[in-house]
Amino acid sequence: MNKRIDNRMDRRMDRARAKPPASILRVCRSLLLCAGMVASASVFAKADLESQVQHVSEQLRCLVCQNQSIADSHAQLAQDLRREARQQLSTGRTEREVIDFMVQRYGDFVLYQPPFDPRTWLLWLGPFALLLAGLSALVVQSRKLEQSLEMENLAIAEES
Amino acid sequence: MTRYLWPLAGFAALLVFLAIGLRLKPQELPSALLNKPLPALRLSTVDSPEQYFDTRDMAGKVWVLNVWASWCGPCRAEHAVVQELAATRLATVVGLNYNDLRSDSQQWLREMGNPYLLSAFDGDGRAGIELGVYGVPETFVIDQQGRVRLKLTGALTHERLQSELLPALKALTHG
């Protein structure tokens, strides 16, 4: 009888020994969860950084090849500028700040899209101004033609 | 009669614009640094990783910064002109060795001759970015206040030396 109780006690002890206390399990589980979150956060941060680098690179002209952005170019300078952009973005600079940094050093020409300011108004608006001038010239001419045709018609009518 | 002359005049104007366009050199961009202070740079030299050059050490002098690289063909072509410039003793000529290997650069200087007071070593091109360098060779003229007064892109030639560089240096040293 006593022996059976002992046995049962032993078995209970064994089971307790085999299964780690719940508190340790909980700590382990939360540690794992944390590690997972940190890992995925860094993966997301990396993907985010790369998309920022890409976005900035697409807006900057490669000054060696001139008709390519630094995102498209394999020139050494483009690689160096991408590296510089990546490095600055990773230290928490905004895309705007990185672009301003490049403009300060390379001038407006480094921007793939020229800024709209007094120096570039002619560039931006010139084509539309020319189009308007052409259209109004056309309208004026056709009115003149119409009038002279009417006059001719009148003259012909009077003659007959 | 004038109504037939207008299109002709327009066409002539277009021709003038196209002719101007043909003469433009889009490869030669004005420096964003023109008339602005040269960024302060502290770099080791081509001679030795332990020896340093600081652009601020040049304060009070008119000097020329010539950006070169051992892999750059036009630099080889302009080297005789850089030597000619240094020989005039109008200004100190400092080199900036851009995106290069120290061993290659040292070899290049031994082979070609060394007109530079020293050449600062910019192995990864970061100093080049600070200066807005987009192609070598490039040549900066810096005044006593440390401002960039002239920048020439592309290889120097004897003509450019005589017509652009030397007059600028003379004006700065005597003015």
Side-chain angles (χ1 to χ4, degrees):
Chain A
M1 185 69 191
N2 266 349
K3 210 174 181 180
R4 267 174 71 183
I5 290 174
D6 275 357
N7 266 347
R8 224 180 290 160
M9 285 282 278
D10 275 353
R11 241 179 282 149
R12 213 172 292 164
M13 291 282 278
D14 278 346
R15 220 178 298 151
R17 233 177 281 141
K19 212 171 159 192
S23 59
I24 291 185
L25 268 183
R26 221 174 296 138
V27 168
C28 282
R29 206 180 305 147
S30 54
L31 269 177
L32 262 175
L33 205 65
C34 275
M37 272 162 65
V38 167
S40 60
S42 79
V43 166
F44 281 131
K46 232 179 196 166
D48 196 38
L49 178 66
E50 282 316 305
S51 74
Q52 274 186 316
V53 171
Q54 182 68 17
H55 192 234
V56 166
S57 303
E58 279 164 4
Q59 294 172 65
L60 295 173
R61 183 192 304 276
C62 169
L63 291 106
V64 186
C65 10
Q66 299 208 343
N67 284 329
Q68 276 184 315
S69 74
I70 65 168
D72 299 328
S73 171
H74 298 291
Q76 181 66 45
L77 180 71
Q79 291 174 27
D80 289 351
L81 291 181
R82 282 202 301 267
R83 183 196 58 198
E84 185 69 27
R86 177 175 296 113
Q87 199 259 325
Q88 291 196 10
L89 288 167
S90 70
T91 59
R93 289 222 196 177
T94 63
E95 291 184 20
R96 187 74 256 157
E97 282 169 336
V98 174
I99 287 171
D100 288 346
F101 171 93
M102 300 295 179
V103 171
Q104 265 173 24
R105 280 151 189 83
Y106 290 99
D108 280 341
F109 191 70
V110 79
L111 297 173
Y112 224 76
Q113 183 156 345
F116 187 71
D117 64 24
R119 286 174 310 137
T120 58
W121 282 347
L122 191 65
L123 178 71
W124 281 100
L125 303 176
F128 298 105
L130 278 178
L131 184 70
L132 261 177
L135 278 179
S136 45
L138 196 70
V139 168
V140 168
Q141 282 295 317
S142 65
R143 278 208 189 130
K144 262 191 202 163
L145 199 67
E146 230 172 83
Q147 273 175 359
S148 65
L149 275 179
E150 268 174 37
M151 296 283 263
E152 262 176 51
N153 284 343
L154 274 176
I156 291 167
E158 265 169 31
E159 267 172 34
S160 55
Chain B
M1 189 60 198
T2 50
R3 53 183 297 201
Y4 297 112
L5 281 179
W6 276 117
L8 195 65
F11 183 64
L14 188 68
L15 277 188
V16 169
F17 278 122
L18 289 176
I20 294 171
L22 275 180
R23 276 153 210 276
L24 289 179
K25 291 181 182 156
Q27 257 69 32
E28 286 177 22
L29 305 171
S31 172
L33 283 177
L34 210 59
N35 296 321
K36 289 190 189 140
L38 186 83
L41 297 170
R42 187 171 183 272
L43 296 165
S44 65
T45 66
V46 165
D47 289 338
S48 155
E50 275 110 47
Q51 187 192 344
Y52 279 88
F53 166 73
D54 195 317
T55 51
R56 282 163 292 196
D57 295 343
M58 301 301 285
K61 284 188 200 166
V62 175
W63 59 293
V64 174
L65 183 68
N66 179 245
V67 187
W68 64 276
S70 66
W71 45 263
C72 144
C75 300
R76 207 169 268 270
E78 75 160 12
H79 202 65
V81 184
V82 177
Q83 282 169 319
E84 191 183 339
L85 165 69
T88 63
R89 300 192 165 275
L90 268 173
T92 308
V93 184
V94 173
L96 179 69
N97 181 225
Y98 172 73
N99 253 334
D100 215 334
L101 294 171
R102 216 180 231 110
S103 52
D104 289 356
S105 314
Q106 288 169 350
Q107 173 65 30
W108 195 84
L109 286 175
R110 271 197 298 274
E111 201 180 298
M112 303 284 297
N114 187 351
Y116 304 110
L117 171 72
L118 57 90
S119 282
F121 182 68
D122 179 29
D124 59 3
R126 303 220 33 194
I129 293 178
E130 286 298 323
L131 296 176
V133 169
Y134 64 90
V136 272
E138 292 189 11
T139 306
F140 296 81
V141 172
I142 297 126
D143 70 6
Q144 289 95 334
Q145 284 77 44
R147 283 172 308 193
V148 176
R149 297 299 291 270
L150 178 71
K151 184 199 172 188
L152 299 176
T153 309
L156 295 174
T157 56
H158 181 73
E159 291 71 39
R160 288 178 93 186
L161 179 73
Q162 295 296 334
S163 66
E164 294 178 73
L165 209 47
L166 293 185
L169 288 176
K170 279 179 191 150
L172 285 174
T173 44
H174 300 303

